[in-house]
Amino acid sequence: MFARPAIRMRCATGLLAIGILLMLGGCGEELKPSVLEQVKAEGELRVITRNSPATYFQDRNGDTGFEYELAKRFATDLGLELKIETADNLGSLFAGLGRPNGPVLAAAGLVETPARQSQARFSVPYLEVTPQVVYRQGQPRPTKAADLVGKRILVLAGSSHAEQLAALKLEVPELSFEESDAVEVVDLLRMVDEGQIDLTLVDSNELAMNQVYFPNVRVAFDLGDANRMRWAVAPGDDDSLLQEANAFLQRAEANGTLQRLKERYYGHVDVLGYVGAYTFAQHLQKRLPRYEQMFRQAGRSHQVDWRLLAAMGYQESLWQPTATSKTGVRGLMMLTQRTAQSVGVSNRLDPKQSIEGGARYFIQVHSQLPESIREPDRTWFALAAYNIGGGHLEDARRLTEAEGLDPNKWLDVQKILPRLAQKQWYSKTRYGYARGGEPVHFVRNIRRYYDILTWVTQPQLEGTQVAESGVHLPGIDERRPEDETPPL
Ligand code: BLG
């Protein structure tokens, strides 16, 4: 059904008027503007979501998350401000969607299920995920539905997973499970990680996003077919906003926006590898606490986000102060002899000195970059210069420009950097051969670690939530507001 136009008319006599009114959709009724027209008139797109790493959360720059970013782009396309509301559980999320002057769109990793069809109408899908049974490493691994019998299973109340388990129970009547509306997916994973429950069911993207925080959590098996995530609007017959959302999602698929967001938010395990994600989670708990205050201190003195320094330290040495590379580069921040001298580090193996020297050097290379490189790319270029040196980076920028690409965009320069290792290219450069692939991995990994550290230390997880959360790190809750410096 099509949306009605935004005009208000009273019923009138006369055939012509009646004909027009019939076309407009009825007699004797005040014609209301469509939802889309209302939203445009109000100038804001009100979206309801959930606060979780896979949907929406606060990071160093404010609001972020896959659903947030996607909804933000939709609002921008419509020329609207985005207004986010969060729901504590799925019940209140769907209830909020029908509220007068409430949110008009739900963007919360939702799957269309039979039970939800009366609560909402769903958009075209934008993400395919697989429901996965997860268990705790060290326990026997369930491999099929029958293995779920006799286990303590907890899922989110009102979730597609609860519906899925209820359907499974018809086939396997001995199966039992519980639902809770007081938890989020991170809590379920933590409870498995700590052995408070045996199993839960989560979507593959949620697990990919969270794997790094929960070292003991493992996939048992995929349960059922892949699910498709969709946005939702309130029930009714006004399709105006839904059609607009569908058109937007189709464009986002066609122009690569969706793919980029998927890589950014759900790609941790893809980038780090399963073992890498697992190892990072362990090191986060065991090693970082020893150096956290040093990173915070160096961040404060040099006005750099300490989590970026910590991410660099992890990439360089896995937070090991005595690390040594084949080329003799040493210490937690892997300073060369020359760099160490230039930033006043006398003992590279002293973690405090190494972190302080690394931060100082980073700031130095950051400030030496051409003005034409703007943030956030400037931070990525500075990381590359830290790793490969400013001269080689400049060579790569020149090659990038010669290729008709943008030498001020990291996305373009990182494509060209590996050429510094190929004779046909490096023979034409000023500084010659360099392992140009190394800074590409270097920057990519650091960005990934930085994202993870940002989530782990976000302000929302402070206080009671931090204490109860599996992602708590010692020292985080002692943080003072002045530690919250921007990346640069
Ligand atoms: C960096 C230096 C740069 C230097 C480049 O090497 O070390 N950075 C630091 O010391 C912090 O100063 O640039 S230059 O001064 O313009 O020449 C290039 O020489 C260190 C890199 C080298 C790299 N890690 C920090 O990222 C490293 O250790 N590579 C060897 C890896 S392996 O042992 O071969 O696997």
Side-chain angles (χ1 to χ4, degrees):
M1 178 168 186
F2 289 103
R4 292 169 181 169
I7 58 168
R8 290 168 173 267
M9 262 176 107
R10 291 273 167 202
C11 205
T13 52
L15 277 177
L16 185 62
I18 289 170
I20 292 170
L21 285 166
L22 284 175
M23 276 163 47
L24 292 176
C27 187
E29 171 193 342
E30 260 199 356
L31 291 180
K32 278 195 183 158
S34 70
V35 171
L36 183 62
E37 285 162 339
Q38 277 176 39
V39 161
K40 284 190 172 168
E42 288 158 1
E44 64 179 27
L45 182 70
R46 293 185 300 274
V47 172
I48 191 158
T49 187
R50 290 153 52 197
N51 175 219
S52 83
T55 50
Y56 164 71
F57 61 100
Q58 307 277 322
D59 79 356
R60 57 202 176 268
N61 300 316
D63 295 339
T64 189
F66 180 90
E67 291 288 4
Y68 173 81
E69 292 291 342
L70 197 58
K72 177 90 185 147
R73 284 167 175 75
F74 181 41
T76 305
D77 271 18
L78 291 171
L80 302 172
E81 286 291 312
L82 177 66
K83 198 161 169 225
I84 289 282
E85 184 179 317
T86 55
D88 285 345
N89 54 56
L90 288 160
S92 51
L93 184 130
F94 284 108
L97 203 47
R99 213 177 62 219
N101 301 320
V104 290
L105 187 77
L110 300 171
V111 171
E112 185 172 20
T113 66
R116 285 178 181 168
Q117 269 154 7
S118 60
Q119 295 177 290
R121 286 170 300 147
F122 290 86
S123 73
V124 295
Y126 53 83
L127 182 69
E128 197 169 278
V129 296
T130 315
Q132 295 180 317
V133 174
V134 299
Y135 75 112
R136 185 174 205 268
Q137 178 203 25
Q139 300 296 311
R141 176 183 181 167
T143 56
K144 54 188 181 309
D147 297 345
L148 306 183
V149 172
K151 303 282 189 205
R152 288 171 302 166
I153 306 173
L154 184 69
V155 291
L156 297 194
S159 64
S160 58
H161 303 128
E163 275 186 54
Q164 211 180 337
L165 290 176
L168 187 65
K169 195 170 160 54
L170 300 176
E171 292 165 35
V172 188
E174 309 84 21
L175 176 74
S176 71
F177 65 96
E178 286 173 56
E179 297 183 43
S180 167
D181 62 7
V183 292
E184 252 302 341
V185 175
V186 278
D187 302 300
L188 294 174
L189 292 171
R190 174 178 51 80
M191 289 164 95
V192 172
D193 192 70
E194 292 173 358
Q196 292 173 31
I197 54 174
D198 295 321
L199 307 169
T200 188
L201 188 56
V202 298
D203 285 326
S204 46
N205 66 317
E206 302 250 24
L207 183 64
M209 184 87 202
N210 286 296
Q211 178 72 70
V212 283
Y213 315 123
F214 303 110
N216 299 315
V217 165
R218 288 282 181 282
V219 177
F221 62 95
D222 291 353
L223 187 69
D225 298 332
N227 276 329
R228 289 167 165 188
M229 295 197 163
R230 301 162 194 272
W231 282 349
V233 300
D237 54 13
D238 184 327
D239 272 356
S240 55
L241 183 64
L242 194 57
Q243 282 183 9
E244 199 71 31
N246 284 342
F248 165 77
L249 291 173
Q250 277 152 357
R251 281 198 304 279
E253 178 69 58
N255 66 23
T257 301
L258 270 171
Q259 193 50 39
R260 278 197 299 280
L261 288 179
K262 285 175 204 174
E263 276 164 25
R264 170 145 169 65
Y265 286 100
Y266 303 137
H268 291 351
V269 172
D270 298 354
V271 170
L272 304 183
Y274 190 73
V275 174
Y278 168 73
T279 311
F280 184 76
Q282 286 199 317
H283 292 160
L284 201 57
Q285 284 169 9
K286 298 211 177 96
R287 293 186 184 169
L288 180 60
R290 284 179 227 154
Y291 311 110
E292 189 182 321
Q293 289 310 325
M294 299 175 195
F295 285 121
R296 285 176 185 276
Q297 180 57 47
R300 269 195 295 271
S301 356
H302 297 282
Q303 294 292 297
V304 189
D305 187 333
W306 73 270
R307 295 166 292 198
L308 184 67
L309 298 175
M312 290 166 67
Y314 191 72
Q315 171 62 24
E316 291 289 9
S317 65
L318 305 178
W319 295 321
Q320 296 177 105
T322 55
T324 304
S325 85
K326 285 177 256 166
T327 46
V329 182
R330 307 191 79 182
L332 201 141
M333 298 296 271
M334 282 291 191
L335 306 178
T336 61
Q337 182 85 51
R338 212 174 62 158
T339 304
Q341 271 166 8
S342 78
V343 291
V345 167
S346 56
N347 178 5
R348 286 186 287 167
L349 303 185
D350 175 342
K352 195 166 170 40
Q353 282 197 34
S354 182
I355 290 170
E356 168 59 29
R360 186 180 294 270
Y361 185 65
F362 175 72
I363 285 296
Q364 209 170 298
V365 292
H366 184 274
S367 67
Q368 284 162 357
L369 290 170
E371 281 296 312
S372 52
I373 306 175
R374 317 301 303 174
E375 289 293 358
D377 293 63
R378 203 174 169 84
T379 296
W380 318 140
F381 277 91
L383 290 173
Y386 184 101
N387 178 250
I388 200 178
H392 291 303
L393 184 63
E394 198 44 38
D395 280 347
R397 291 184 67 241
R398 291 216 184 91
L399 291 177
T400 305
E401 194 162 22
E403 205 65 12
L405 297 170
D406 188 346
N408 300 318
K409 287 271 167 272
W410 176 247
L411 216 58
D412 284 356
V413 174
Q414 60 140 22
K415 283 188 200 129
I416 302 300
L417 263 163
R419 289 189 184 173
L420 297 181
Q422 296 166 32
K423 191 164 181 202
Q424 66 168 123
W425 297 105
Y426 72 68
S427 56
K428 297 183 188 128
T429 63
R430 178 159 172 204
Y431 295 93
Y433 171 87
R435 296 187 341 182
E438 193 179 306
V440 178
H441 291 290
F442 185 82
V443 173
R444 192 181 66 164
N445 286 353
I446 289 175
R447 289 178 67 171
R448 201 60 79 185
Y449 299 136
Y450 185 32
D451 281 347
I452 298 166
L453 286 165
T454 297
W455 165 252
V456 175
T457 60
Q458 63 167 325
Q460 279 154 287
L461 293 183
E462 283 188 311
T464 48
Q465 259 185 306
V466 168
E468 288 161 12
S469 150
V471 296
H472 173 64
L473 291 173
I476 299 287
D477 48 348
E478 294 139 33
R479 187 178 50 187
R480 292 191 307 274
E482 65 266 30
D483 289 340
E484 287 303 323
T485 41
L488 270 174

mmCIF file of all heavy atoms in Angstrom, residues 149-165:
data_model
loop_
_atom_site.group_PDB
_atom_site.id
_atom_site.type_symbol
_atom_site.label_atom_id
_atom_site.label_comp_id
_atom_site.label_asym_id
_atom_site.label_seq_id
_atom_site.Cartn_x
_atom_site.Cartn_y
_atom_site.Cartn_z
ATOM 1 N N VAL A 149 20.395 -32.025 25.650
ATOM 2 C CA VAL A 149 19.532 -32.527 26.729
ATOM 3 C C VAL A 149 20.339 -32.626 28.028
ATOM 4 O O VAL A 149 21.483 -33.096 28.025
ATOM 5 C CB VAL A 149 18.936 -33.904 26.337
ATOM 6 C CG1 VAL A 149 18.192 -34.532 27.515
ATOM 7 C CG2 VAL A 149 18.019 -33.740 25.136
ATOM 8 N N GLY A 150 19.745 -32.149 29.108
ATOM 9 C CA GLY A 150 20.390 -32.261 30.423
ATOM 10 C C GLY A 150 21.378 -31.155 30.712
ATOM 11 O O GLY A 150 22.036 -31.154 31.757
ATOM 12 N N LYS A 151 21.505 -30.205 29.813
ATOM 13 C CA LYS A 151 22.458 -29.096 30.026
ATOM 14 C C LYS A 151 21.724 -27.853 30.533
ATOM 15 O O LYS A 151 20.540 -27.667 30.260
ATOM 16 C CB LYS A 151 23.145 -28.733 28.710
ATOM 17 C CG LYS A 151 23.859 -29.884 28.055
ATOM 18 C CD LYS A 151 25.164 -30.146 28.738
ATOM 19 C CE LYS A 151 25.959 -31.162 27.930
ATOM 20 N NZ LYS A 151 26.896 -31.906 28.704
ATOM 21 N N ARG A 152 22.486 -27.004 31.247
ATOM 22 C CA ARG A 152 21.915 -25.713 31.671
ATOM 23 C C ARG A 152 22.096 -24.735 30.510
ATOM 24 O O ARG A 152 23.222 -24.343 30.194
ATOM 25 C CB ARG A 152 22.672 -25.177 32.886
ATOM 26 C CG ARG A 152 22.394 -25.944 34.178
ATOM 27 C CD ARG A 152 23.363 -25.476 35.255
ATOM 28 N NE ARG A 152 24.756 -25.695 34.806
ATOM 29 C CZ ARG A 152 25.839 -25.171 35.361
ATOM 30 N NH1 ARG A 152 25.744 -24.371 36.390
ATOM 31 N NH2 ARG A 152 27.040 -25.424 34.901
ATOM 32 N N ILE A 153 20.959 -24.406 29.901
ATOM 33 C CA ILE A 153 21.008 -23.539 28.714
ATOM 34 C C ILE A 153 20.245 -22.252 29.022
ATOM 35 O O ILE A 153 19.118 -22.303 29.505
ATOM 36 C CB ILE A 153 20.348 -24.234 27.499
ATOM 37 C CG1 ILE A 153 20.981 -25.603 27.255
ATOM 38 C CG2 ILE A 153 20.439 -23.354 26.262
ATOM 39 C CD1 ILE A 153 20.287 -26.435 26.199
ATOM 40 N N LEU A 154 20.874 -21.123 28.752
ATOM 41 C CA LEU A 154 20.195 -19.840 28.980
ATOM 42 C C LEU A 154 20.279 -19.015 27.703
ATOM 43 O O LEU A 154 21.338 -18.942 27.063
ATOM 44 C CB LEU A 154 20.873 -19.085 30.126
ATOM 45 C CG LEU A 154 20.219 -17.766 30.555
ATOM 46 C CD1 LEU A 154 18.872 -18.011 31.237
ATOM 47 C CD2 LEU A 154 21.131 -16.978 31.498
ATOM 48 N N VAL A 155 19.142 -18.403 27.322
ATOM 49 C CA VAL A 155 19.125 -17.507 26.157
ATOM 50 C C VAL A 155 18.357 -16.232 26.524
ATOM 51 O O VAL A 155 17.711 -16.168 27.570
ATOM 52 C CB VAL A 155 18.486 -18.173 24.905
ATOM 53 C CG1 VAL A 155 19.357 -19.288 24.362
ATOM 54 C CG2 VAL A 155 17.079 -18.689 25.211
ATOM 55 N N LEU A 156 18.424 -15.242 25.636
ATOM 56 C CA LEU A 156 17.710 -13.988 25.900
ATOM 57 C C LEU A 156 16.209 -14.215 25.764
ATOM 58 O O LEU A 156 15.768 -14.839 24.807
ATOM 59 C CB LEU A 156 18.091 -12.918 24.881
ATOM 60 C CG LEU A 156 19.520 -12.423 24.807
ATOM 61 C CD1 LEU A 156 19.574 -11.154 23.979
ATOM 62 C CD2 LEU A 156 20.073 -12.161 26.197
ATOM 63 N N ALA A 157 15.454 -13.658 26.705
ATOM 64 C CA ALA A 157 13.990 -13.781 26.631
ATOM 65 C C ALA A 157 13.487 -13.087 25.369
ATOM 66 O O ALA A 157 13.975 -12.015 25.015
ATOM 67 C CB ALA A 157 13.373 -13.133 27.861
ATOM 68 N N GLY A 158 12.563 -13.727 24.697
ATOM 69 C CA GLY A 158 11.945 -13.124 23.514
ATOM 70 C C GLY A 158 12.852 -13.121 22.300
ATOM 71 O O GLY A 158 12.553 -12.492 21.291
ATOM 72 N N SER A 159 13.984 -13.818 22.381
ATOM 73 C CA SER A 159 14.916 -13.808 21.250
ATOM 74 C C SER A 159 14.524 -14.855 20.223
ATOM 75 O O SER A 159 13.774 -15.790 20.518
ATOM 76 C CB SER A 159 16.337 -14.068 21.741
ATOM 77 O OG SER A 159 16.422 -15.366 22.294
ATOM 78 N N SER A 160 15.074 -14.695 19.031
ATOM 79 C CA SER A 160 14.836 -15.695 17.983
ATOM 80 C C SER A 160 15.399 -17.040 18.454
ATOM 81 O O SER A 160 14.904 -18.102 18.091
ATOM 82 C CB SER A 160 15.501 -15.268 16.685
ATOM 83 O OG SER A 160 16.881 -15.090 16.896
ATOM 84 N N HIS A 161 16.428 -16.980 19.295
ATOM 85 C CA HIS A 161 17.034 -18.225 19.789
ATOM 86 C C HIS A 161 16.093 -18.953 20.742
ATOM 87 O O HIS A 161 16.038 -20.180 20.743
ATOM 88 C CB HIS A 161 18.371 -17.919 20.473
ATOM 89 C CG HIS A 161 19.307 -17.206 19.558
ATOM 90 N ND1 HIS A 161 19.937 -16.050 19.891
ATOM 91 C CD2 HIS A 161 19.661 -17.479 18.286
ATOM 92 C CE1 HIS A 161 20.665 -15.640 18.872
ATOM 93 N NE2 HIS A 161 20.501 -16.489 17.884
ATOM 94 N N ALA A 162 15.349 -18.181 21.537
ATOM 95 C CA ALA A 162 14.370 -18.805 22.429
ATOM 96 C C ALA A 162 13.290 -19.485 21.588
ATOM 97 O O ALA A 162 12.880 -20.620 21.874
ATOM 98 C CB ALA A 162 13.760 -17.745 23.344
ATOM 99 N N GLU A 163 12.882 -18.797 20.537
ATOM 100 C CA GLU A 163 11.871 -19.409 19.648
ATOM 101 C C GLU A 163 12.416 -20.674 18.984
ATOM 102 O O GLU A 163 11.719 -21.683 18.850
ATOM 103 C CB GLU A 163 11.469 -18.422 18.539
ATOM 104 C CG GLU A 163 10.389 -17.457 18.958
ATOM 105 C CD GLU A 163 9.909 -16.594 17.787
ATOM 106 O OE1 GLU A 163 9.512 -17.147 16.745
ATOM 107 O OE2 GLU A 163 9.923 -15.366 17.937
ATOM 108 N N GLN A 164 13.668 -20.594 18.605
ATOM 109 C CA GLN A 164 14.292 -21.734 17.923
ATOM 110 C C GLN A 164 14.373 -22.942 18.859
ATOM 111 O O GLN A 164 14.082 -24.073 18.464
ATOM 112 C CB GLN A 164 15.702 -21.306 17.498
ATOM 113 C CG GLN A 164 16.186 -21.974 16.259
ATOM 114 C CD GLN A 164 17.583 -21.501 15.911
ATOM 115 O OE1 GLN A 164 18.019 -20.409 16.315
ATOM 116 N NE2 GLN A 164 18.304 -22.327 15.180
ATOM 117 N N LEU A 165 14.748 -22.672 20.113
ATOM 118 C CA LEU A 165 14.844 -23.776 21.074
ATOM 119 C C LEU A 165 13.458 -24.334 21.402
ATOM 120 O O LEU A 165 13.285 -25.552 21.570
ATOM 121 C CB LEU A 165 15.554 -23.320 22.353
ATOM 122 C CG LEU A 165 17.054 -23.048 22.208
ATOM 123 C CD1 LEU A 165 17.627 -22.516 23.511
ATOM 124 C CD2 LEU A 165 17.823 -24.303 21.780
#
